[in-house]
Amino acid sequence: MFPVSALDMGAAMKTLVLTLDLVGTFVFALSGATAGLRRQLDLFGVLVLSFVAATSGGIVRDLLIGATPPAAFTDWRYLGVSLLAGVAIFFWSPAVHRLRHPVLVFDGAGLALFCVAGAQKALVFGLEPVMAALLGMLTGIGGGVARDVLLSNVPAVFRSDIYAVAALAGATVVVLGDALGLPSTPTALAGAALCFGLRLAAIRYGWHLPTARAPEPAEADKDAGRDGR
């Protein structure tokens, strides 16, 4: 396999993928650093969390499509923007605390940018449309999952909020736009806007997917009795 720079693709597409990646990295780093700040981590802990949250999704994406070593390890800008976001959040913590739900907003923005960047890069590497959309979703949710696991939280993707579905919707817009021959930049912006809008609407209005119904206490006791027999 070979790195994305070796592919025969236009300069505009290279710039678009890199820009989406770096902006998404910065925003997810803000999310990770803010979450670490709320858990009262020290400066080193905040910086580690910002880097992990910012790059995990992209690293998984690059490994799966064979773009090795991952861009986060070969391009200093990924580390640079992650540390910049972490330092900014750590030393401007009073301003962050005055914001309402900053982690959710930053996380939603990072999710939107990464899902479209992941889908774009997957298409560049020749993946089929369905697989490209799924990889875009995986790129979007990877950073949030890594952040939540390090903080001993249940990852948002496993809860009832619209999260992975929003990322899949944004990535699907990118894939459909590519199939229809539409310009890449407007399509990416539309996909990111859809993902971000769905995520914020889910937070605002409490949208969620159906969840498994827990058994009533009486039913649970009956089941336990049957198992005992």
Side-chain angles (χ1 to χ4, degrees):
M1 291 300 211
F2 37 89
V4 69
S5 60
L7 293 174
D8 182 17
M9 65 180 196
M13 178 60 74
K14 289 182 182 179
T15 302
L16 176 61
V17 172
L18 179 61
T19 300
L20 289 172
D21 244 9
L22 289 177
V23 176
T25 297
F26 183 77
V27 176
F28 252 133
L30 292 175
S31 168
T34 305
L37 199 67
R38 289 191 164 183
R39 294 293 288 270
Q40 298 182 325
L41 302 184
D42 61 15
L43 176 59
F44 181 75
V46 169
L47 294 180
V48 168
L49 199 60
S50 66
F51 179 75
V52 170
T55 59
S56 295
I59 289 172
V60 171
R61 173 202 63 203
D62 289 351
L63 290 175
L64 289 177
I65 63 178
T68 55
F73 298 145
T74 59
D75 190 334
W76 66 268
R77 287 173 290 189
Y78 288 88
L79 176 62
V81 298
S82 300
L83 297 183
L84 177 63
V87 169
I89 291 296
F90 187 85
F91 289 104
W92 293 343
S93 57
V96 173
H97 285 304
R98 285 196 296 268
L99 296 175
R100 185 180 181 183
H101 305 309
V103 175
L104 296 177
V105 174
F106 292 148
D107 184 71
L111 181 72
L113 291 166
F114 266 12
C115 75
V116 296
Q120 289 278 15
K121 194 166 185 178
L123 290 171
V124 167
F125 272 78
L127 266 68
E128 294 297 324
V130 174
M131 293 298 104
L134 291 176
L135 191 59
M137 178 191 71
L138 182 61
T139 305
I141 67 177
V145 170
R147 178 200 64 218
D148 292 342
V149 168
L150 287 179
L151 292 175
S152 300
N153 296 328
V154 177
V157 68
F158 299 141
R159 289 179 253 156
S160 57
D161 290 342
I162 301 295
Y163 193 83
V165 172
L168 183 60
T172 300
V173 170
V174 172
V175 171
L176 290 176
D178 179 76
L180 295 173
L182 300 177
S184 300
T185 300
T187 302
L189 293 176
L194 175 61
C195 176
F196 188 60
L198 283 175
R199 182 68 186 128
L200 290 188
I203 296 170
R204 174 66 177 81
Y205 299 108
W207 295 348
H208 57 82
L209 297 176
T211 56
R213 185 178 68 88
E216 298 295 331
E219 296 178 2
D221 292 341
K222 292 179 182 178
D223 291 339
R226 294 191 193 100
D227 293 339
R229 292 201 300 271

